Amino acid sequence: MDSQGKDKKFDIDLTYITSRGKWYFNSWKGNPEKSGGIATNIGIHFFDMLMWIFGPARHKELHYSSSRRMSGYIELDRARVRWYLSLDRSDLPAAAVQQAKPAYRSISINGEELEFSTGFTDLHTLSYQHILNGNGFGVKEALPSINLVSELRNSQPVHRGNGTVHPMLRSKP
């Protein structure tokens, strides 16, 4: 490893659970033909961020995929990422349910958790304002995450018997 730690590989668990009601599944967002499904609709933001910080995706595995949940593994240049996305309220941790929080967002890096379930209310509005002001990102910046979610959406789930499985998925049938 170099003196700045650039060769270090981080172990990351990304967990994003956001409850969605019947309205979601009856709208265009719940239609994978229109929205691209859960990986495109909510996962892409986090995959994009992780690739921006830890480098491009070198390997990917899809472990589970349904209209409500998706989980897998991505190896980036400087990180191993186990990820779990869910639209199902029953996946929320007990603490989130007790606090009446409709979402749980967490990134654990080498065992140190950063829980960021709040503060997302105006994020889309702020992002759109930046775009309208000419400060948005172009296709070149977005293409790696678009390609990744496209490949994930079109993948078949692989065997989940190794260390690449997200802890939330291990508890599911």
Side-chain angles (χ1 to χ4, degrees):
M1 176 174 15
D2 69 354
S3 61
Q4 297 178 7
K6 290 181 181 176
D7 293 332
K8 182 176 181 175
K9 275 258 190 186
F10 295 89
D11 291 310
I12 298 174
D13 285 340
L14 166 67
T15 308
Y16 183 7
I17 303 164
T18 183
S19 5
R20 295 292 190 250
K22 290 181 183 179
W23 67 268
Y24 180 91
F25 295 100
N26 291 324
S27 77
W28 67 270
K29 288 187 171 197
N31 181 339
E33 296 297 318
K34 294 179 180 177
S35 72
I38 191 171
T40 303
N41 203 343
I42 64 172
I44 196 165
H45 304 296
F46 300 100
F47 298 146
D48 185 56
M49 174 193 66
L50 289 168
M51 287 190 291
W52 182 67
I53 295 169
F54 297 104
R58 300 297 180 197
H59 173 76
K60 69 198 162 316
E61 297 174 3
L62 178 65
H63 297 150
Y64 182 82
S65 181
S66 74
S67 63
R68 293 185 177 270
R69 292 180 187 93
M70 200 167 184
S71 187
Y73 172 80
I74 304 166
E75 182 133 2
L76 307 174
D77 274 351
R78 294 179 307 281
R80 293 174 289 270
V81 182
R82 300 183 301 185
W83 55 272
Y84 185 84
L85 309 172
S86 174
L87 303 173
D88 197 319
R89 179 173 181 73
S90 69
D91 287 337
L92 288 170
V97 173
Q98 290 168 353
Q99 296 172 14
K101 290 183 178 179
Y104 174 77
R105 298 173 187 94
S106 169
I107 293 180
S108 176
I109 302 173
N110 290 344
E112 188 172 331
E113 183 184 25
L114 170 62
E115 197 264 323
F116 55 104
S117 297
T118 58
F120 274 69
T121 309
D122 296 324
L123 208 52
H124 280 103
T125 303
L126 291 170
S127 183
Y128 296 146
Q129 189 60 53
H130 283 289
I131 292 166
L132 292 172
N133 291 338
N135 298 317
F137 295 98
V139 172
K140 179 182 174 188
E141 291 84 10
L143 195 56
S145 55
I146 292 169
N147 285 338
L148 176 64
V149 296
S150 176
E151 291 169 8
L152 289 169
R153 278 194 335 261
N154 293 301
S155 295
Q156 292 297 314
V158 297
H159 177 67
R160 316 185 245 156
N162 58 28
T164 62
V165 177
H166 190 283
M168 292 279 301
L169 188 60
R170 285 191 207 129
S171 65
K172 302 290 177 203

